[in-house]
Amino acid sequence: MNTFSRFLAFFAAGTLLTVASTAQAPTAPSAPITPPQINTPIDPPLNPKLPTVFIVGDSTARNGADLGWGDHLANYFDTTKVNIANRSRAGRSARSYIDEGLWDKTLSEIKAGDYVMLQWGHNDGGDLGGNKPRGDLRGDGDATQDVPQTFGPMMGKTETIHTYGWYNRKYVADIQAKGAIPMFLSMTIIDEWRPDASGVLHLQRGGGFDQVMKSIADELHLQYVDMGSVEADRLEATGQEKAKLLFPIDHTHTSAIGADLNAQSVVIALEIANSPLVPFLKEKLPIPSQAPVAAK
């Protein structure tokens, strides 16, 4: 039984999806546990004759062994027709991925006809300075703030920090200059539930960072792939207690099975968006009945 079939069984029977490494949900710790994160990943070579789908994001896309959805996405694509290249890095934001030179390295690999999925937000609300200087200014536009840096690649310098939208517009311009196609993905869902006006619990969806990306996508006629809404719908269908079992570390990072389910949500969102990537899929996944109609 493949993972998608197991997920359907999870819906129908209410049983917990398990693999050897996640057979039992751990007892909730008294304090958050930092998940193991791959900071020096080894990337296999790409077939230069094929188009490549690059994934650029944070730990929700690439983390410890198989804990990021980007490490599972290739399972759903025909890799004889397209490369899937996960270039995400744990703990990074739209700003820090650039500051550390990671974007220049990834950009050097991108060629005309490639696709680049951009997914940020979980770390972009952090500090502008200090020992984790990865935050950026909220919103879009040309606002800046000069901040002396005491840690990281800009240590000893005063960095001019831009808005979240400014950094994402830079990614888009750089990608398009290579003749490649940028697309935005909404953030993965965190395991936080709040009641609506009727008292029914729902997962929190998106927020300011997603709104900025959606606005830029609409303005620049880019594809906005709302995987977060697909993920939220699927998790809400399982109920709060069952969904929590897919978040054994903290409210942001999933188990390996949860990461694979997120990869499925990306695939479903691509289908809903009528993405040009759909023809590269091995097969289409069923679109949940509550999903929105096709967008772009």
Side-chain angles (χ1 to χ4, degrees), residues 180-237:
I181 301 169
M183 58 181 64
F184 290 137
L185 270 64
S186 56
M187 294 167 60
T188 60
I189 295 301
I190 61 175
D191 185 37
E192 288 187 353
W193 300 67
R194 296 178 187 172
D196 62 16
S198 302
V200 178
L201 290 174
H202 292 282
L203 285 160
Q204 298 305 295
R205 303 174 185 228
F209 297 112
D210 281 355
Q211 291 169 7
V212 169
M213 295 185 108
K214 177 67 165 59
S215 177
I216 295 173
D218 288 345
E219 175 192 339
L220 301 181
H221 306 291
L222 307 176
Q223 195 152 67
Y224 179 78
V225 181
D226 193 5
M227 67 82 59
S229 291
V230 174
E231 180 193 359
D233 287 343
R234 299 173 84 205
L235 291 178
E236 286 181 358

Side-chain angles (χ1 to χ4, degrees), residues 66-137:
D66 297 326
L67 295 180
W69 65 262
D71 287 338
H72 296 263
L73 191 66
N75 296 332
Y76 300 95
F77 281 82
D78 183 347
T79 53
T80 67
K81 297 179 180 178
V82 66
N83 300 306
I84 304 295
N86 191 2
R87 297 298 183 262
S88 302
R89 193 72 67 90
R92 272 57 180 187
S93 65
R95 166 193 163 198
S96 66
Y97 195 87
I98 292 172
D99 282 354
E100 296 179 22
L102 298 172
W103 177 235
D104 283 344
K105 181 178 179 182
T106 299
L107 188 61
S108 70
E109 298 183 89
I110 296 171
K111 65 183 185 302
D114 287 345
Y115 302 84
V116 185
M117 295 179 170
L118 299 165
Q119 184 189 59
W120 304 109
H122 285 295
N123 299 312
D124 289 83
D127 294 336
L128 302 183
N131 62 0
K132 286 187 177 181
R134 57 192 184 186
D136 33 56
L137 303 183

Side-chain angles (χ1 to χ4, degrees), residues 22 36 48 54 61 88 97 157 176 215 226-227 273 280 283:
T22 57
F54 288 91
S88 302
Y97 195 87
K157 301 177 182 179
Q176 291 180 330
S215 177
D226 193 5
M227 67 82 59
F280 295 118
E283 60 182 1

Side-chain angles (χ1 to χ4, degrees), residues 42-59:
I42 299 175
D43 298 317
L46 304 175
N47 184 340
K49 297 181 181 179
L50 300 179
T52 298
V53 177
F54 288 91
I55 304 164
V56 178
D58 54 33
S59 61

